[in-house]
Amino acid sequence: MTMLAARILLAGVFAIAALAKLSDWAGVRRAVVAFGVPKAAAAVVGSVLVAMELGVVLLLVGGWAYRGAVLALLALTGFSAAILVNLARGRSLDCHCFGRLSAGTLGWPTLARNGCLATIAAFVALDGRFSWSLAMLALVMFALWIGPVAYRRWTTRAGTSVNGPALPDRTGQVWTLDRLSADHRPVVFIFSQPGCGACAALLPEVDQWQRDLGERVTVALVSTAPTNHVVPFELIDEQRLSFASYGITATPSAVLIDNGRRLSSASGAPAIKDLVQRAVQVAAESRFTRRGLLRHASVGLASAGVLPALAACDTGHNGTASLDTKALEVDGAWLCDQTFALCTTAPCVPSATDPTISVCDCVVVNGYSIGFKTCPERAQSGTSVRSAFSTVNVNTEFGVLSCPSGVPWANCLDVECEIDPTNPARARCQCITVKTGESRTFGGGCDTDTCTSTIWSAATPDLPGSTQYKKGMKKLGQPVEFPTTCPA
């Protein structure tokens, strides 16, 4: 009976992995390319992976359990070797091992999961021999797999927002992104403000979206003050904290978030309508992959009594050890969780009193950032704050613009800034003007003409602090999204 349960469990895991990959084929191809496979061969390699996983299933449920277990061991060993190589190189890759069911970053918990499954495969391949030794090894791998997640969930307060500030609605109830996403629906934030004519014209449609799409998409209107139009669900952000968190500089604008990840953003009514339609599509895909696929694929496993073990394994897949720290030293830089000024897309003007200084218009953000000054040195004091590097406002519309040598740019890393008393979401930073060497900026929208028409907050081509930022965020188990280089 134990052998049969092990075979069914192993076959079930590989079946779900194969079916989930087929339902997220585009994501699988991106993941394969990220591992270093040429784009031209990505589809072939992805097909081989799915075929191998289905082969494991057929062998295990057929009369060739030994061959199926050996093939599973080879597959898990190959996957683990590829993961180890990328971890050794300091690369942070998204995992599509189970398609959309396991969106997250590859790491040591992934290896522990593979180790857990490998011990089950070894048990089947050895026909039950060394069962106690393999059982102990499986328990160790299982503990390393789900232990950090269990600890983090036990010690983390319910309702804590992982992205963006907590905002009240008109009744005074406070909403966080975690709470809005509790039903696993995509969330669309639509940003508005009084006096915005385009915003007012869009409100009737926001009202209709909230009423018609409520069971599929959470549409939240975020305004700096209550609107005259009675939109059912409205969040009030008088201090514009969420505007700064999501990099919103114009209204109406919108942001689409699914499964804790920012997927896209839009500005202007037509683009927002398209974004809402995309959210509906994401909701349909999510329902199939997360709910329908799991429900149908797990019927056989539940009847065999092995679904609880599978669910526990899947729960631990995205786990990372919780670091109880607000300040993390990373290779000479400091990753701090505190308020800072973010200048990655800031335009600047020459100082009227000091030719070596450029005054840059930056946003005030609260979260993780990297700098070469210590966290206490960068801590906010009254209206004074320092700038630091972060990708908190980066989305797919950003690009890294390269500007040639000789074009002035502003170095804002670790400089002093003053928060605007009339708008605490903005800060003016005294950045150092640089007139030599090439520069890289997230601003400019990939328009090279702006290199000479605007002084951008920028950095040297090696982007100081970016490597430490990636490494530190990886330790924290939080994904980091860097924009791609603008086309030449």
Side-chain angles (χ1 to χ4, degrees):
M1 184 64 183
T2 303
M3 179 62 66
L4 178 61
R7 288 170 57 186
I8 294 176
L9 173 60
L10 200 60
V13 171
F14 275 84
I16 290 178
L19 293 175
K21 285 185 177 70
L22 290 174
S23 69
D24 185 27
W25 191 241
V28 171
R29 286 192 296 178
R30 288 194 300 270
V32 170
V33 171
F35 270 90
V37 176
K39 288 185 178 180
V44 174
V45 173
S47 299
V48 170
L49 291 176
V50 172
M52 180 172 56
E53 290 170 340
L54 291 176
V56 170
V57 175
L58 293 175
L59 291 171
L60 286 171
V61 300
W64 306 278
Y66 170 77
R67 295 179 181 179
V70 170
L71 182 58
L73 274 172
L74 292 174
L76 291 167
T77 301
F79 296 156
S80 299
I83 294 169
L84 274 173
V85 169
N86 283 277
L87 289 177
R89 293 176 177 175
R91 301 179 65 195
S92 179
L93 302 178
D94 286 340
C95 175
H96 284 271
C97 311
F98 292 86
R100 291 183 183 272
L101 299 178
S102 62
T105 305
L106 291 170
W108 299 110
T110 315
L111 294 176
R113 180 207 66 194
N114 288 355
C116 180
L117 295 174
T119 55
I120 298 174
F123 174 79
V124 175
L126 294 172
D127 197 24
R129 295 190 297 273
F130 308 106
S131 58
W132 283 106
S133 299
L134 291 173
M136 293 301 297
L137 181 59
L139 286 175
V140 171
M141 293 294 103
F142 190 76
L144 292 174
W145 188 353
I146 70 168
V149 169
Y151 175 78
R152 185 176 63 184
R153 291 187 177 181
W154 180 263
T155 56
T156 301
R157 294 181 301 166
T160 300
S161 176
V162 295
N163 285 308
L167 298 176
D169 60 19
R170 284 194 295 257
T171 67
Q173 292 190 60
V174 177
W175 294 82
T176 65
L177 181 58
D178 284 349
R179 185 179 178 187
L180 291 169
S181 307
D183 293 328
H184 304 290
R185 291 193 295 260
V187 177
V188 176
F189 288 115
I190 299 178
F191 296 86
S192 174
Q193 60 183 338
C196 170
C199 302
L202 188 63
L203 291 181
E205 295 196 62
V206 176
D207 184 350
Q208 196 66 38
W209 290 331
Q210 291 186 353
R211 297 179 190 277
D212 294 346
L213 306 178
E215 294 183 359
R216 291 177 288 171
V217 178
T218 299
V219 179
L221 178 68
V222 181
S223 181
T224 56
T227 60
N228 294 326
H229 191 283
V230 184
V231 176
F233 185 56
E234 181 181 19
L235 302 178
I236 310 303
D237 187 5
E238 295 179 348
Q239 296 184 337
R240 304 174 68 92
L241 298 178
S242 62
F243 286 64
S245 294
Y246 295 110
I248 302 301
T249 58
T251 55
S253 292
V255 174
L256 169 60
I257 298 173
D258 182 52
N259 197 27
R261 292 173 175 268
R262 177 173 176 159
L263 299 185
S264 186
S265 60
S267 182
I272 291 175
K273 295 176 184 178
D274 292 340
L275 187 71
V276 172
Q277 289 303 312
R278 182 183 176 189
V280 173
Q281 295 174 356
V282 169
E285 295 171 358
S286 298
R287 183 176 293 109
F288 171 72
T289 56
R290 292 196 190 100
R291 298 178 184 176
L293 182 59
L294 271 178
R295 183 173 62 251
H296 290 95
S298 61
V299 170
L301 296 177
S303 63
V306 297
L307 181 59
L310 177 61
C313 288
D314 188 55
T315 300
H317 173 68
N318 285 324
T320 54
S322 176
L323 295 179
D324 185 19
T325 179
K326 293 286 186 179
L328 183 64
E329 195 275 333
V330 186
D331 298 339
W334 285 90
L335 186 67
C336 309
D337 183 11
Q338 59 190 26
T339 301
F340 65 99
L342 182 63
C343 304
T344 50
T345 60
C348 312
V349 296
S351 170
T353 58
D354 189 342
T356 66
I357 297 296
S358 291
V359 181
C360 301
D361 182 21
C362 306
V363 295
V364 179
V365 182
N366 186 54
Y368 282 103
S369 65
I370 200 79
F372 291 95
K373 290 187 177 295
T374 64
C375 298
E377 289 176 315
R378 284 156 46 196
Q380 180 181 355
S381 176
T383 58
S384 296
V385 69
R386 284 191 179 269
S387 64
F389 176 78
S390 174
T391 59
V392 66
N393 68 335
V394 169
N395 57 54
T396 55
E397 298 177 2
F398 279 67
V400 180
L401 175 64
S402 300
C403 293
S405 178
V407 173
W409 55 278
N411 183 356
C412 293
L413 188 61
D414 287 334
V415 302
E416 294 183 352
C417 308
E418 190 70 19
I419 297 176
D420 186 347
T422 63
N423 183 4
R426 313 294 299 188
R428 295 174 65 82
C429 298
Q430 305 292 316
C431 303
I432 301 171
T433 303
V434 183
K435 298 182 179 180
T436 59
E438 297 181 6
S439 62
R440 303 288 186 270
T441 179
F442 290 179
C446 290
D447 183 358
T448 55
D449 291 340
T450 63
C451 289
T452 54
S453 63
T454 305
I455 299 177
W456 290 111
S457 169
T460 53
D462 58 338
L463 297 177
S466 60
T467 300
Q468 293 95 324
Y469 179 72
K470 289 181 180 179
K471 185 175 181 180
M473 295 301 286
K474 183 178 179 180
K475 287 184 178 180
L476 295 170
Q478 298 189 21
V480 174
E481 180 181 0
F482 269 66
T484 58
T485 302
C486 295

